[in-house]
């Protein structure tokens, strides 16, 4: 039967099979469940901004090569072909060769030149400072790559934690949904038996509908946070991903409160190291303006030739060569206060950078101090809310059993349910606060790569 199938149907069937296979492969490849560490590793490898900063670092390497070229020989050649339409007239005054003035047109209709010249810098302090400045620029570019990677790590982890919190909230809401579903079932049966009022049954149904609405809203928020995570990772929004929805899997573990320190180690802060390099760059700028008052010395050699003739073709073959070597010194004498003004500006820029660095250092210390305080407070609040959530859950379970047995009222059950709802909301809020505080502590202390290494 297959052999009798028309060719276009065979091709259509084959294309369909390929499409199904590729679709299944894409689902397996993109629909995978990502851990936090996997998400961060993907971000560092594929996010476009990371590549952009790497290009900047490569550009800085080329700038170093460019600045070093000032001390390499430069060779240039030139050629000129002139057709003198009207020769210049020279006037010899009367009495020099004759009693009257004499007018002469000297030269040829065609004059050609060709030369090649090599120049070599012997002494140029400004070019030396340019090389040193280019090297500092390269170091700053490398630090910016590290800084951008830290930013990518922070943004990805923050978005992942946001999604993780909604996943945890969804898990708790689904637990409440099951409890309400059981409660509504019991009340429906008791209402049909005439044991409870319809208002009590309707009240339970309202709460059941409310928790279902909360689940729907939470699912929408969860999808939005996944989109934010995909954007932070450099993924297309159409990509299907999922995260591990267990808090423990995300390496949210108890921290030792004694391990958090508010002491700043400046060497760990990328921004501080960039500030120091910028100060070094300003120092080199001052030095560059100072050496602008020094002479530059260079050596050159030139070889060329001239050709003349009344006709074009003969002029090309009638060459007279010459050669020259020499040393040239360029000495700055007066620039109308330009160089002096530039030097003063660079000194002011250096002083301004020094003050900026001091202000920034105080900001870094403040950030570390605040991060240390915040993480201790967030950790304490999380443990309390975790304990309250457990107690509220136990109270609601007990109230549900008591209500089923008829030993408590519906109001008491709903009060227990409300307490559980409040405890659940507080827990998810403090959970996110703790996760962000922990992440902020690593970020402000410059140890966020240690945070990544600790992930499993």
């Amino acid at each position: 039967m297959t052999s009798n199938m028309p060719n276009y149907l065979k091709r259509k069937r084959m294309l369909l099979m390929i499409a199904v296979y590729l679709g299944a492969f894409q689902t397996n490849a993109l629909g995978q469940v990502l851990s936090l560490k996997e998400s961060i590793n993907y971000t560092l490898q594929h996010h476009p901004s990371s590549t952009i900063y790497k290009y900047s670092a490569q550009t800085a390497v080329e700038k170093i090569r460019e600045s070093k070229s000032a001390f390499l020989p430069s060779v240039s050649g030139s050629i000129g072909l002139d057709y003198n339409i009207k020769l210049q007239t020279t006037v010899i005054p009367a009495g020099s060769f004759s009693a009257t003035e004499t007018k002469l047109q000297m030269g040829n209709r065609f004059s050609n030149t060709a030369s090649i010249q090599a120049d070599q810098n012997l002494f140029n302090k400004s070019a030396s400072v340019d090389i040193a400045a280019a090297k500092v620029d390269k170091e700053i570019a490398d630090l910016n790559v590290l800084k951008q990677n830290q930013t990518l790590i922070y943004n990805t982890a923050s978005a992942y934690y946001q999604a993780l919190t909604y996943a945890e909230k969804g898990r708790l809401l689904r637990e409440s949904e099951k409890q309400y579903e059981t409660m509504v079932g019991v009340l429906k049966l008791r209402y049909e038996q005439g044991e409870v009022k319809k208002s009590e049954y309707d009240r339970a149904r309202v709460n059941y509908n409310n928790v279902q609405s909360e689940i729907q809203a939470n699912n929408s928020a969860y999808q939005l946070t996944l989109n934010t995570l995909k954007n932070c990772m450099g993924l297309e929004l159409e990509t299907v991903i999922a995260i591990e929805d267990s808090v423990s899997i995300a390496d949210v573990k108890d921290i030792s409160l004694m391990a958090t320190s508010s002491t700043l180690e400046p060497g760990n802060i990328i921004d501080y190291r960039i500030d120091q390099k910028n100060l070094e760059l300003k120092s080199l700028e001052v030095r560059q303006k100072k050496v602008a008052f020094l002479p530059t010395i260079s050596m050159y050699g030139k070889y060329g030739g001239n050709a003349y003739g009344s006709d074009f073709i003969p002029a090309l073959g009638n060459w007279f060569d010459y050669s020259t070597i020499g040393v040239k010194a360029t000495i700055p004498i007066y620039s109308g206060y330009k160089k002096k003004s530039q030097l003063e500006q660079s000194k002011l820029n250096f002083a301004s950078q020094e003050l900026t660095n001091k202000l920034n250092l105080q900001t870094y210390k403040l950030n570390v101090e605040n991060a240390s305080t915040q993480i201790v407070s967030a950790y304490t609040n999380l443990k309390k809310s975790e304990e309250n959530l457990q107690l509220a859950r136990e109270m609601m379970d007990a109230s549900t059993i008591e209500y089923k047995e008829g030993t408590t009222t519906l109001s008491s059950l709903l009060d227990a349910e409300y307490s559980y709802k409040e405890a659940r909301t507080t827990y998810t809020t403090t959970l996110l606060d703790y996760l962000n505080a922990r992440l902020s502590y690593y970020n402000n202390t410059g140890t966020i790569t240690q945070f990544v290494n600790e992930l499993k």
Side-chain angles (χ1 to χ4, degrees), residues 74-92:
S74 63
V75 182
S76 61
S78 66
I79 185 170
L81 303 175
D82 294 336
Y83 172 59
N84 301 310
I85 298 175
K86 186 175 183 180
L87 295 175
Q88 181 177 352
T89 300
T90 301
V91 178
I92 301 176

Side-chain angles (χ1 to χ4, degrees), residues 187-293:
L187 286 173
K188 180 180 180 182
L189 180 61
R190 296 182 66 183
Y191 166 66
E192 291 173 349
Q193 294 174 350
E195 297 178 4
V196 297
K197 297 179 181 180
K198 185 176 184 300
S199 59
E200 294 183 352
Y201 172 54
D202 290 341
R203 188 175 179 183
R205 289 177 59 193
V206 168
N207 289 337
Y208 179 55
N209 292 335
N210 285 340
V211 77
Q212 288 184 320
S213 298
E214 283 189 69
I215 291 175
Q216 183 62 38
N218 187 77
N219 289 341
S220 298
Y222 176 69
Q223 291 301 321
L224 291 176
T225 56
L226 284 183
N227 287 338
T228 302
L229 175 60
K230 286 185 280 189
N231 183 64
C232 292
M233 293 173 60
L235 284 169
E236 296 291 338
L237 293 181
E238 297 78 12
T239 307
V240 179
I241 65 170
I243 67 168
E244 294 178 340
D245 58 357
S246 170
V247 177
S248 59
I249 290 179
D251 198 41
V252 181
K253 57 186 179 181
D254 293 348
I255 66 164
S256 172
L257 299 184
M258 299 302 295
T260 59
S261 172
S262 60
T263 303
L264 174 67
E265 296 184 13
N268 292 334
I269 310 296
I270 298 296
D271 283 332
Y272 174 81
R273 292 162 63 184
I274 292 176
D275 288 343
Q276 295 304 110
K277 289 300 175 182
N278 283 329
L279 184 63
E280 184 178 349
L281 208 57
K282 296 299 182 183
S283 176
L284 288 172
E285 184 181 333
V286 173
R287 183 181 171 191
Q288 190 173 47
K289 295 302 184 291
K290 287 181 178 179
V291 300
F293 292 93

Side-chain angles (χ1 to χ4, degrees), residues 33-105:
V33 179
L34 297 173
S35 67
L36 177 55
K37 189 165 189 175
E38 289 171 341
S39 301
I40 291 174
N41 289 338
Y42 183 93
T43 302
L44 295 177
Q45 294 173 12
H46 298 91
H47 201 283
S49 65
S50 179
T51 305
I52 291 173
Y53 278 86
K54 289 177 182 177
Y55 287 161
S56 297
Q58 293 173 3
T59 301
V61 173
E62 295 303 320
K63 286 184 178 180
I64 294 176
R65 293 179 59 187
E66 178 186 356
S67 59
K68 286 182 177 180
S69 66
F71 289 98
L72 296 177
S74 63
V75 182
S76 61
S78 66
I79 185 170
L81 303 175
D82 294 336
Y83 172 59
N84 301 310
I85 298 175
K86 186 175 183 180
L87 295 175
Q88 181 177 352
T89 300
T90 301
V91 178
I92 301 176
S96 298
F97 296 100
S98 63
T100 60
E101 66 178 14
T102 305
K103 298 179 180 179
L104 300 175
Q105 287 185 327

Side-chain angles (χ1 to χ4, degrees), residues 287-302:
R287 183 181 171 191
Q288 190 173 47
K289 295 302 184 291
K290 287 181 178 179
V291 300
F293 292 93
L294 298 177
T296 60
I297 302 175
S298 60
M299 180 178 68
Y300 65 91
K302 184 175 184 179

Side-chain angles (χ1 to χ4, degrees), residues 375-394:
I375 195 172
V376 173
S377 175
Y379 177 76
T380 304
N381 291 336
L382 176 61
K383 300 307 291 184
K384 290 181 179 178
S385 63
E386 204 171 19
E387 181 181 356
N388 288 340
L389 178 64
Q390 181 63 28
L391 292 174
R393 183 186 289 113
E394 293 174 358

